[in-house]
Amino acid sequence: MDFSYNENQKMIADMIQQFGKKEITPFFKEWDDNQFFPVEIFKKLGDLGLMGVLVPEEYAGSGFSYTEYITAIEQLAILDPSIGLSMAAHNSLCTGHILQFGNQAQKERWLPKLATAEYIGAWGLTEHNTGSDAGGMATTAVKEGNHWVINGVKNFITHAISGDLAVVIARTGEKGNSYGKTAFVIEKGTAGFSSANKLDKLGMRASETAELIFDNCKVPNKNVLGNVGDGFIQAMKVLDGGRISIAALGLGIAKGAYQAALQYSKEREQFGKPISKFQAIAFKLADMATEIEASELLIYNAASKKNRGEKMTLDGAMAKYYSSEVAVKVATDAVQVLGGYGYTKDFPVERYYRDSKLCTIGEGTSEIQKLVIAKQIIG
Ligand SMILES: Cc1cc2nc3c(=O)[nH]c(=O)nc-3n(C[C@H](O)[C@H](O)[C@H](O)COP(=O)(O)OP(=O)(O)OC[C@H]3O[C@@H](n4cnc5c(N)ncnc54)[C@H](O)[C@@H]3O)c2cc1C
């Protein structure tokens, strides 16, 4: 496998770096301090083709593969992990679900709006009482004529308030039946559909997370994605691809933290020499570089399988699990390398440290990834 950047990846990386200098770096601290979700940035990312990275050109997307998608998330995460997370949730979860399971009319109706960021997308699976055990959800959808009536609350939903459209999975059959859930597309403004309770978070503070609320929300039958009853199975397939994006997010965070630590270690002097000359610090940097390389290999392996249309449940879970844990470890060590300065908001590593933790939780915790891996290898 050749992991050097192809022409598209180079173009994407350059474009994001240029964009970030002007549009992200000067503002990220303010967004983080105030938990401000910068919607306008996502509109501009839409203009750059980064809100429909995997969407074919016929639906106004960029038509790239997972290889380019990883680069886009990684580069955004280096600049601001919150922007990387929101971009990933929009692309892989909401847009990805419609792309994989929507019919022709649904794709024509929603994908161009999502790919250009005219619409910001949300994806609702998690509830207050069902996270890892998402299949036990309480939100229900009941068929009445040509409509479905949805009742319930989804929690921890990225873009719940600012999103224009949500893909939502609700129970349409018996509790516990994997084929008893259905996926619906619901647009903002639909009667009975609202959002509330923005969460005050440890990290990823510029990525909005809140509740989606359904109170006798009437959704037309034509908004059902795929077959009635297939929603949970679809969601698991969406998450297979989504895990690559969280792995890429972790990779970007780890790279950002490592680069900051490496640079600082060469400049900071104690006992008359740069701290990088102390083996204790040099070995931390050596571990970081090695673990980042290993993450990258796992991620590109999962992505290349996905690009070839091969089953990659095991590879995606391994990449997500490893890369997330590496992101937390590298960010933690980066704070240590910067000592007291690493503990302040004057340097970027404390934000990487806070943001990295999301990677071991979102789209399936590390424990759940290990369950998936164990099931795949043991049977
Ligand atoms: C910032 C953020 C954004 C998010 N965005 C979205 C979104 O857009 N859409 C969406 O649907 N969801 C979203 N989520 C929800 C996320 O996917 C869940 O938080 C995650 O799946 C874990 O669920 P939970 O928080 O309920 O934890 P729980 O499931 O309650 O888990 C708590 C602990 O128990 C462990 N555990 C649970 N079950 C097992 C088991 N069987 N074996 C071993 N350990 C176990 C977990 O690993 C964890 O350590 C988001 C979450 C966050 C924090």
Side-chain angles (χ1 to χ4, degrees):
M1 273 187 272
D2 176 11
F3 291 112
S4 54
Y5 271 9
N6 64 33
E7 285 308 310
N8 287 336
Q9 287 175 290
K10 279 188 209 151
M11 181 272 290
I12 289 170
D14 285 350
M15 183 174 76
I16 292 176
Q17 281 159 18
Q18 292 305 321
F19 176 79
K21 258 187 224 159
K22 208 167 123 236
E23 305 281 356
I24 298 178
T25 307
F27 309 108
F28 70 68
K29 185 171 182 308
E30 189 185 321
W31 299 337
D32 182 60
D33 286 347
N34 299 317
Q35 273 223 134
F36 178 73
F37 175 62
V39 177
E40 284 314 309
I41 289 297
F42 295 92
K43 303 286 178 190
K44 289 176 184 170
L45 290 179
D47 295 340
L48 298 180
L50 295 175
M51 295 297 268
V53 181
L54 301 166
V55 174
E57 288 175 24
E58 60 180 304
Y59 301 115
S62 296
F64 286 133
S65 75
Y66 269 80
T67 309
E68 288 83 11
Y69 184 41
I70 290 167
T71 306
I73 297 173
E74 176 200 310
Q75 292 295 325
L76 285 171
I78 292 172
L79 291 165
D80 185 345
S82 290
I83 304 298
L85 172 64
S86 273
M87 178 273 203
H90 171 96
N91 275 276
S92 318
L93 300 180
C94 178
T95 310
H97 201 134
I98 298 173
L99 182 60
Q100 274 192 70
F101 298 105
N103 60 31
Q104 188 65 27
Q106 292 169 333
K107 288 183 189 176
E108 282 171 9
R109 183 171 169 200
W110 289 305
L111 289 180
K113 290 193 163 102
L114 288 162
T116 55
E118 181 185 339
Y119 278 10
I120 303 292
W123 188 76
L125 176 69
T126 307
E127 299 183 1
H128 284 269
N129 294 324
T130 53
S132 303
D133 183 17
M137 66 182 64
T139 297
T140 55
V142 177
K143 186 121 194 261
E144 286 183 6
N146 285 332
H147 285 80
W148 292 82
V149 179
I150 305 184
N151 279 292
V153 178
K154 295 285 173 183
N155 192 33
F156 279 122
I157 309 306
T158 304
H159 315 146
I161 296 169
S162 301
D164 302 282
L165 173 155
V167 171
V168 173
I169 296 94
R171 194 154 62 76
T172 49
E174 288 304 306
K175 216 170 190 169
N177 175 3
S178 297
Y179 288 91
K181 287 108 194 163
T182 302
F184 301 87
V185 180
I186 309 171
E187 293 199 38
K188 197 178 219 171
T190 306
F193 175 35
S194 60
S195 52
N197 299 328
K198 181 170 167 172
L199 295 169
D200 188 4
K201 305 195 298 293
L202 167 75
M204 297 294 189
R205 288 171 59 80
S207 177
E208 176 187 275
T209 321
E211 285 177 354
L212 293 175
I213 300 163
F214 304 95
D215 181 10
N216 286 321
C217 174
K218 259 176 95 177
V219 180
N221 198 36
K222 65 178 184 195
N223 287 24
V224 169
L225 289 173
N227 295 325
V228 170
D230 281 355
F232 187 69
I233 305 297
Q234 291 172 4
M236 294 302 109
K237 289 185 181 156
V238 168
L239 287 173
D240 269 354
R243 282 175 187 141
I244 295 182
S245 67
I246 300 297
L249 186 65
L251 181 66
I253 292 173
K255 282 190 178 178
Y258 163 69
Q259 283 157 9
L262 180 64
Q263 186 187 336
Y264 184 87
S265 73
K266 290 179 180 172
E267 291 166 2
R268 174 73 170 171
E269 292 196 359
Q270 291 293 282
F271 301 97
K273 54 182 174 181
I275 59 168
S276 59
K277 297 289 177 196
F278 298 119
Q279 196 181 57
I281 298 296
F283 276 16
K284 278 197 203 313
L285 294 165
D287 281 343
M288 288 182 196
T290 307
E291 286 159 359
I292 288 170
E293 187 85 10
S295 282
E296 201 151 24
L297 291 171
L298 282 172
I299 296 169
Y300 279 106
N301 173 54
S304 61
K305 286 200 176 178
K306 184 83 183 156
N307 288 342
R308 294 195 298 270
E310 292 172 22
K311 187 169 188 300
M312 41 65 69
T313 304
L314 173 65
D315 312 83
M318 283 178 166
K320 200 268 182 190
Y321 165 50
Y322 188 77
S323 170
S324 301
E325 295 292 338
V326 164
V328 173
K329 181 169 179 286
V330 169
T332 306
D333 282 349
V335 172
Q336 194 67 19
V337 169
L338 269 76
Y341 296 98
Y343 202 65
T344 71
K345 295 205 175 205
D346 294 337
F347 288 84
V349 291
E350 67 81 33
R351 184 178 49 123
Y352 289 128
Y353 174 76
R354 287 183 288 111
D355 289 347
S356 65
K357 198 65 196 117
L358 178 275
C359 299
T360 70
I361 296 170
E363 298 197 31
T365 62
S366 287
E367 290 78 9
I368 295 302
Q369 301 314 308
K370 284 200 259 189
L371 282 180
V372 173
I373 294 165
K375 191 169 172 215
Q376 293 292 316
I377 59 177
I378 298 165

